[in-house]
Amino acid sequence: MDVWRAMQDHGMEELIFCQDQKSGLKAVIALHSTKLGPALGGCRLWSYASEQEAIEDAMKLAKGMTYKAAISGLPYGGGKAVVLKHVGMKRDAAFAALGRFIERLHGEYITGVDLGTTPQDMDQINRETRHVTDQSGTLGATGNFTAEMTAYGVFLGIQTSLTCKYGLTDMKGVRIALQGLGKVGYALARRLHQAGAQLIVSDIDPGKISQAVQKFNALPVSSENIHLHSCEVYAPCAMGGTLTHLSIPQLSCGIVAGAANNQLADEQLCDMLEQRNILYAPDYAINAGGILSTGAELAGTGARGATAAVEKIPGTLKHLYEYARKNGITTASAADTIAEAKFA
C-alpha cells in the first residue's frame, strides 16, 4: 500500500500511527480536515484482516466525518481513530496510551465511542486527555443515547425519502429490509415497527434476529440474501461497502436509506442506483444523528439540543434531493457539492 498516494486520494491532512509495546496498542488516527474546526470522530475497535485494511478504513471514515459535520452545519472537521483488536492487547492500558497520543495533537482531534468501543474505554482515554467525549457521566454515555439519536435521524430520513419517492406520509404497510440489528439497527427497527412498517431483518447474531421476530413480527432472512427481497426501502445498518457492482443490480427496492457508513463500495456506484431509479439517501446526511448529538454535548445544549438538531435531517435531505433534481446529478454528488461548499 502506497500510504502517501492513499492520503492524497482521500484528501487527508494527517495520518498518525500509534504503537505502545507495553499495552499492545496498535492504532491509527486519521485527520481528514480541520478547516471548519477540530476533527471530530469516534474511536473504532475492530479485528481487521490486515493493517492496510485498518488504515484504509480509518481514512474513509475520517473523510465521511468531515462531510457529515459540514452538511450538518457543525463547526468541526472530520477524523477517526482505529484500534486494531488483537490477542494480547491490554485493553485499559491500550486506551490510556491512545489518550496520550491524542493529547499530543493539542486539540486537533476529539474522539468518542464508535463501533467496538465503550464509555469505559473513553474513561481510560480521558485519564490522559480532555479531548474525548462519551466518557462515564456524559450525555453520550447515558444508556444508548447516541445510538437512539442516530436511529431517530435515520427514521426521519426514511420517512422523508418515502414522501419524496412515493408521496407517502406514513409507513403503514411499507416493507423495509433492515440489514444489521446492532444498537442503531435495533433502535431503528423499533421505531419503524411502531410506525407500522413491515420489517425484513438480518444480522450475524441469531439472538438479535429472534428478538426482532418476537417483538416486531419481522421476517428473518440471511445476511447474504436480504438485499434480494422486494421492498420499498433497503436499509444497510451494518458494516460499509455492501452496495457493490454485484449487489446493486440485484436490489429490489425503490429507496436505499440506512445507518451504515460508506455504504457504497465505490462512490461512482450512485450512478448505477440512479439508472435503476433507486433513490439513495447519502449515508453521511441521513446518519448524522451521532455527530449532531456529540456537537450538542460539546456545545452544552443537552438532550433537547441534540433532538432539535437531529430533527433538521429531513430538511437537509429535502434540500439535497431537490438540488440533485434541479442540476441533473446524483444525490451523492449533490450531497458532496453542498458539503464541500462549506469547507472548501
Side-chain angles (χ1 to χ4, degrees):
M1 180 183 186
D2 186 336
V3 175
W4 293 105
R5 178 61 182 270
M7 287 182 66
Q8 185 176 15
D9 290 345
H10 289 291
M12 304 300 299
E13 286 183 4
E14 292 184 70
L15 197 62
I16 301 100
F17 295 94
C18 313
Q19 178 170 288
D20 179 69
Q21 292 186 352
K22 189 174 181 180
S23 66
L25 172 72
K26 287 185 178 181
V28 58
I29 301 172
L31 303 185
H32 178 262
S33 175
T34 55
K35 290 180 180 178
L36 294 180
L40 195 61
C43 175
R44 175 166 293 196
L45 174 66
W46 194 252
S47 297
Y48 289 93
S50 66
E51 294 175 357
Q52 289 77 12
E53 185 181 54
I55 294 167
E56 184 70 20
D57 197 32
M59 290 193 289
K60 284 184 177 180
L61 291 166
K63 182 177 180 180
M65 293 302 292
T66 295
Y67 282 72
K68 191 179 295 189
I71 204 165
S72 300
L74 292 173
Y76 297 101
K80 209 73 172 184
V82 163
V83 177
L84 284 73
K85 188 176 183 180
H86 64 92
V87 176
M89 186 185 80
K90 300 174 183 176
R91 186 160 181 155
D92 285 355
F95 280 98
L98 180 62
R100 292 192 288 274
F101 282 102
I102 293 173
E103 178 63 18
R104 294 176 191 171
L105 298 175
H106 304 293
E108 278 192 336
Y109 172 59
I110 303 170
T111 196
V113 167
D114 198 85
L115 183 67
T117 56
T118 67
Q120 290 69 42
D121 296 325
M122 300 307 109
D123 290 344
Q124 297 303 319
I125 292 175
N126 192 218
R127 289 171 51 192
E128 305 292 341
T129 183
R130 63 185 176 85
H131 304 298
V132 58
T133 63
D134 304 330
Q135 65 269 37
S136 297
T138 64
L139 183 64
T142 304
N144 290 324
F145 184 78
T146 302
E148 288 287 346
M149 286 293 97
T150 303
Y152 182 39
V154 176
F155 172 80
L156 295 175
I158 288 175
Q159 181 61 76
T160 299
S161 301
L162 285 167
T163 301
C164 291
K165 176 74 175 181
Y166 299 113
L168 297 175
T169 56
D170 63 56
M171 297 188 189
K172 291 179 182 178
V174 173
R175 299 164 300 170
I176 300 178
L178 204 159
Q179 182 223 17
L181 292 168
K183 289 181 180 179
V184 175
Y186 192 84
L188 176 60
R190 188 188 68 249
R191 288 182 180 274
L192 294 171
H193 173 69
Q194 291 171 346
Q198 295 179 2
L199 296 181
I200 304 162
V201 300
S202 71
D203 194 273
I204 58 174
D205 183 346
K208 292 179 179 178
I209 294 178
S210 297
Q211 195 172 8
V213 171
Q214 181 181 0
K215 293 198 172 185
F216 309 138
N217 195 31
L219 172 67
V221 298
S222 70
S223 297
E224 295 77 17
N225 295 325
I226 187 167
H227 67 288
L228 302 176
H229 283 258
S230 180
C231 58
E232 279 70 52
V233 182
Y234 174 58
C237 295
M239 293 295 284
T242 61
L243 296 172
T244 67
H245 288 88
L246 295 177
S247 65
I248 289 177
Q250 297 175 328
L251 290 175
S252 185
C253 63
I255 297 168
V256 170
N261 289 313
N262 300 320
Q263 295 169 25
L264 298 172
D266 184 326
E267 293 177 1
Q268 304 305 315
L269 288 174
C270 196
D271 290 326
M272 188 179 290
L273 290 172
E274 187 85 7
Q275 291 164 8
R276 296 207 57 216
N277 196 29
I278 296 173
L279 178 63
Y280 172 61
D283 47 21
Y284 62 78
I286 194 173
N287 71 8
I291 195 173
L292 288 167
S293 299
T294 301
E297 181 176 322
L298 292 171
T301 57
R304 184 173 296 180
T307 301
V310 170
E311 289 173 348
K312 294 180 181 179
I313 287 176
T316 299
L317 284 174
K318 288 177 184 176
H319 173 53
L320 74 86
Y321 287 160
E322 183 62 17
Y323 188 94
R325 187 190 65 80
K326 284 185 176 180
N327 291 278
I329 58 177
T330 67
T331 55
S333 294
D336 287 353
T337 301
I338 294 168
E340 287 165 1
K342 296 184 178 183
F343 67 80

